[in-house]
Each structure stands twice: as structure tokens, then as C-alpha cells.
Amino acid sequence: MADRLNGTRILILETREEAQFSKLLAEQGAEVVQCPMFTIHDAPDPAPVEAWIRRAIDKPLDDLVLMTGEGLRRIMKLARARDLDAALVAALAKARKFTRGPKPGKALREVGLEAQQTTEKPTTEGVIEMLGKLDLSGRRLGLQLYPDKDHSELTGSLAAQGAAVDTVLPYVYDSRAADANIVAAIDDMAAGRIDALALTNLGQVRRLIEAAKAHGSEAKLRAGLEQTLIASVGPAVSGELAAHGLRTDVSPAEDAYFMRPLISAIAVGLAAKKPKVPAK
């Protein structure tokens, strides 16, 4: 049904690929309230990223692990600026490629490459579990990282398996500019102007909590969430909510951790919340 979210206001905490999510929600009749959580910038010093690119070209990697689609896109952007993109793609074609969830796989396909394996769980723990089954002894492994995350458990695990790990961090977050948007979204939830909060990655949960604490709005946030349907795309997000003492109201069925199943779960959850009209 194309109108199953008619009359609802859905809050999404925008990140890398939320434009598509917003479009899908609007197609179902929802009024989408967009709240940018942060701005993404290229790494302020491109030299380490360029050096990583040149190493990957000069001596192709045995394995490549991509944690985010944004990471590969930023790497390719710099490679194009240095006229190294064709050489980099050719070099990466020789490596086994592993991705944390489907989004990095999509970024690989954009440059004509395919992942050999994708995590069942789109989490760091899922990557550790996937790679833990492989013999990495003596292999050169390129690891694309993302900001605001302690990656020591992952890098330590790979090193313990004998891999020579070569990391690259191709972008940074700027969250300060988005704080006003987050505070306004918290006010909307507290005032009962939001029907559902749709969460698509665990970083959104952390960012929401951090901004609320920084602006003295944590109590208001928790009060707002009490009256708002909380929709989680999957177990990583639900786990992060639970870590902060927050509940998950709806989530897609197991192994369907994508946007369309999440929208279906939201529609079902909101329909169940509607007050029943008494029989005449």
C-alpha cells in the first residue's frame, strides 16, 4: 500500500545514505522530518590517504576490508584528483574484498568491483567473526576505518592472526554545526509532534545521546522517546539503544535489516498504536 504511512510524521537522523530512506518513506505517505546529525568532510590532511592509495597500487593488497561505503567513495575521490583512480581499481581487483554490511558492497560495485564476502552482522564484531575464520598469516590487509570509533579490538584481532594491517581513515565528522537540528528534533518529540523515530545505524543513537547531554536536554529526550515509536533497523542499533537504557519498539524480521523492511515494521507498529474507534 502506497499510503500506509499517511498522516504520520517520521523523524530520521540523516547520515550518509538517508536521502533514499527519506524518499521511500515519502512514497508511503509519511511526512519526513529530517535531522542532519553531522557533516562529513574529507580527511583534513590528505597526505596519509594518498600514501595509502599509492602503497595499494605499488604493491597490491592481498585483502581489503571496507567498513563503510563512504570510506571507499572518499578514497576514490582523492584517487581521481591525483589521476590514480584507474590504477587503484586495477590493484584492488587483485585483492580479496570483505565488507561490513551491504553499503560498502554497493560502493565497490560503483567502481566495477565485487565483495567476496559480506558480514552477516553489519558490525565490527561481525567483521572480526567473519575474518576470524580465515588464515591471514603473512597477508597484507588494507583496512578502511571510520571516525569516532575505537578500532583497536579489530586491528588487534587481525594482527593476532598474522596479518600486516595497513589502515586508512579517509574522512572526518563535524558534529557541531548539527547540534541545533538535534535539539529542535528533541523538542519536537517531547511536544508529541513526532510519531516515530527511525534509526538506521548505531552512531545515530550515540550522537543523539551525546548532543542531548551537551545541551542539557537528556531528560527531555527520554520523555520524548517515551511517547514516540522507536524503530531500529537491526540488532546493532537495538543493542546500542539498550546500552543507554532505551527500548526498541519495532525492527525488521531477522536477516531483513534494510530500509524497506524497516518501513514495513514502522507501518505495522504505528497502526497498532492508533486508538481503536469504539463500535457504534
Side-chain angles (χ1 to χ4, degrees), residues 53-60 91:
I53 290 170
R54 292 186 181 278
R55 287 195 300 274
I57 292 171
D58 293 342
K59 190 177 180 183

Side-chain angles (χ1 to χ4, degrees), residues 24-225:
L24 291 171
L25 285 165
E27 287 174 354
Q28 298 296 321
E31 178 185 346
V32 182
V33 181
Q34 298 176 326
C35 177
M37 299 295 279
F38 45 72
T39 302
I40 298 175
H41 299 295
D42 293 331
D45 180 6
V49 184
E50 181 178 345
W52 185 93
I53 290 170
R54 292 186 181 278
R55 287 195 300 274
I57 292 171
D58 293 342
K59 190 177 180 183
L61 298 162
D62 297 307
D63 300 303
L64 173 67
V65 179
L66 295 172
M67 301 297 281
T68 65
E70 185 70 31
L72 180 60
R73 292 187 184 100
R74 295 279 168 167
I75 290 168
M76 293 307 305
K77 177 184 174 184
L78 182 60
R80 282 191 292 272
R82 300 292 190 267
D83 199 25
L84 296 170
D85 50 321
L88 179 60
V89 169
L92 296 183
K94 301 174 183 177
R96 294 188 303 184
K97 290 166 283 293
F98 303 92
T99 62
R100 185 189 68 137
K103 292 180 180 179
K106 179 181 177 184
L108 274 170
R109 290 191 294 276
E110 290 170 4
V111 294
L113 299 175
E114 288 284 345
Q116 273 67 58
Q117 194 171 347
T118 298
T119 54
E120 292 183 10
K121 302 173 186 176
T123 62
T124 296
E125 292 72 22
V127 174
I128 292 172
E129 182 180 340
M130 173 177 66
L131 298 177
K133 300 172 183 177
L134 305 175
D135 181 5
L136 300 178
S137 181
R139 296 181 69 85
R140 294 182 60 253
L141 184 147
L143 173 61
Q144 172 260 311
L145 303 177
Y146 58 93
D148 298 348
K149 166 76 175 179
D150 180 1
H151 296 281
S152 58
E153 183 181 1
L154 174 57
T155 55
S157 173
L158 295 173
Q161 288 178 247
V165 183
D166 190 352
T167 63
V168 60
L169 181 60
Y171 62 98
V172 297
Y173 295 147
D174 177 9
S175 59
R176 292 170 297 177
D179 277 14
N181 299 320
I182 298 170
V183 171
I186 291 171
D187 288 344
D188 277 347
M189 283 192 287
R193 292 190 288 266
I194 300 296
D195 295 299
L197 168 64
L199 298 163
T200 57
N201 70 68
L202 60 85
Q204 295 170 343
V205 181
R206 293 174 184 165
R207 179 80 177 95
L208 190 60
I209 297 290
E210 288 168 2
K213 287 180 177 178
H215 293 273
S217 298
E218 188 176 10
K220 184 181 284 189
L221 169 63
R222 291 182 180 275
L225 290 173

